[in-house]
Amino acid sequence: MSLPEHAEHGHGHESPIKTPKQLLITVVLAFVIPISVIILLVNLVGSSIRTGYGSNSQTEESIAKRIQPVAGFKLVDANAPKVFKTGEQVFQSTCVACHGSGVAGAPKFGDKDAWAPFIKQGFDDLLKNAIHGIGAMPPKGGNSSLDDFEVARAVVYMTNQSGASFPEPAEPAGDQAAAPAAAPAAAPAAPVVAAKTAEPAPAPAAAEKPAAPAAAPAAQASAGNSVGEKIYKSVCITCHSVGVAGAPKFGDKASWDPFIKTGLDSMLAKAISGVGAMPPRGGSQATDDELKAAIEYMVDAAK
């Protein structure tokens, strides 16, 4: 009786691993299982702090963009000499809106045949029209921040690229530079000429007319939208102040209503890519956000 009991007792302590294959599997699992558990725990902890995972919302660039002030500023020495824009710079920032595509009869940049009649009038007449406005082109092309000298440079640049050979105007020095600066003018001298092609009788009236009705809407729209106001006055005003080539006129509810009904996103998309006679971004280097602000500014003025 003692022998069988001993055998049974020995069988009870027998190891579950009976073959080399079972031993190998056990060793592998002893490593794999703990490592897998550790990886899962790390992922669990990591995912709880990855806000916005899968997007670039937490990059340094995105964060900086979200917290930047609505409007930027820079310190300028009031006593420093004025740095004038070149003719090309004025053309790209102001004149291209109309002269880039020939809007409202404006002689197209580089088109010698279109410019020939105006060049024959002489530089002085071209410059006078550019400063004071004519036909559909508002005084100074709608960009009152430009100096008379900068306007002259723009006229020379556009005409010389279109068949003329006018000399570059001499830059005013010292106190002389302050005088033109006090009476800013816009480079879009050309649009002035362009409007002259159509020779509309009530030319000056057309340019002055929008100023009166637009004054009240402008004051209302400018509240809280300094960026939009700035872009409007430096880019959009050239066409939207007088309704050039079908552009909805600033402050005119009836002309803006069909566009407002399409929604802000639709208007912004067209402003970015260009539509009809309007070049992409109005012929400027404005960003998407700046264009959006300008549209909101004009829409608010038309409500």
Side-chain angles (χ1 to χ4, degrees), residues 8 24 39 94 101-102 140 147 173 207 210 246 259 277 280 293:
E8 184 179 349
L24 179 61
I39 292 175
T94 305
S101 56
K140 304 172 183 179
D147 186 271
F259 299 97

Side-chain angles (χ1 to χ4, degrees), residues 91 95 99 109 115 154-162 187-190:
F91 170 77
C95 314
H99 288 283
F109 181 79
W115 276 98
V155 172
V156 170
Y157 173 74
M158 287 188 290
T159 53
N160 285 358
Q161 292 292 326
S162 307

Side-chain angles (χ1 to χ4, degrees), residues 36-50 53:
S36 299
V37 172
I38 292 173
I39 292 175
L40 290 174
L41 289 174
V42 170
N43 286 335
L44 178 62
V45 174
S47 63
S48 64
I49 62 174
R50 285 182 290 181
Y53 181 66

Side-chain angles (χ1 to χ4, degrees), residues 263-280:
L264 179 60
D265 291 341
S266 176
M267 289 188 287
L268 177 59
K270 290 178 180 178
I272 293 173
S273 60
V275 59
M278 187 183 81

Side-chain angles (χ1 to χ4, degrees), residues 6-91:
H6 176 73
E8 184 179 349
H9 180 72
H11 179 72
H13 290 280
E14 186 176 317
S15 173
I17 301 174
K18 300 178 180 180
T19 65
K21 182 178 180 180
Q22 291 177 337
L23 177 61
L24 179 61
I25 293 174
T26 302
V27 172
V28 171
L29 291 177
F31 283 97
V32 172
I33 292 176
I35 292 175
S36 299
V37 172
I38 292 173
I39 292 175
L40 290 174
L41 289 174
V42 170
N43 286 335
L44 178 62
V45 174
S47 63
S48 64
I49 62 174
R50 285 182 290 181
T51 305
Y53 181 66
S55 71
N56 61 353
S57 62
Q58 297 302 309
T59 62
E60 293 183 5
E61 182 180 355
S62 298
I63 294 174
K65 187 176 182 180
R66 288 199 299 273
I67 65 176
Q68 69 180 353
V70 174
F73 68 93
K74 61 180 180 179
L75 299 177
V76 178
D77 185 356
N79 297 320
K82 179 177 176 62
V83 178
F84 294 104
K85 294 180 179 178
T86 65
E88 182 177 6
Q89 289 174 330
V90 175
F91 170 77

Side-chain angles (χ1 to χ4, degrees), residues 101-196:
S101 56
V103 171
K108 190 174 180 180
F109 181 79
D111 188 337
K112 294 183 179 181
D113 292 336
W115 276 98
F118 303 106
I119 293 175
K120 286 181 180 179
Q121 297 175 7
F123 174 75
D124 291 339
D125 282 348
L126 286 172
L127 179 58
K128 182 177 70 174
N129 290 338
I131 294 175
H132 299 292
I134 184 173
M137 189 186 100
K140 304 172 183 179
N143 188 350
S144 60
S145 66
L146 292 174
D147 186 271
D148 289 356
F149 172 65
E150 292 173 318
V151 176
R153 275 184 163 180
V155 172
V156 170
Y157 173 74
M158 287 188 290
T159 53
N160 285 358
Q161 292 292 326
S162 307
S165 57
F166 295 128
E168 179 73 13
E171 181 172 338
D175 296 337
Q176 293 180 348
V192 174
V193 182
K196 195 172 183 179

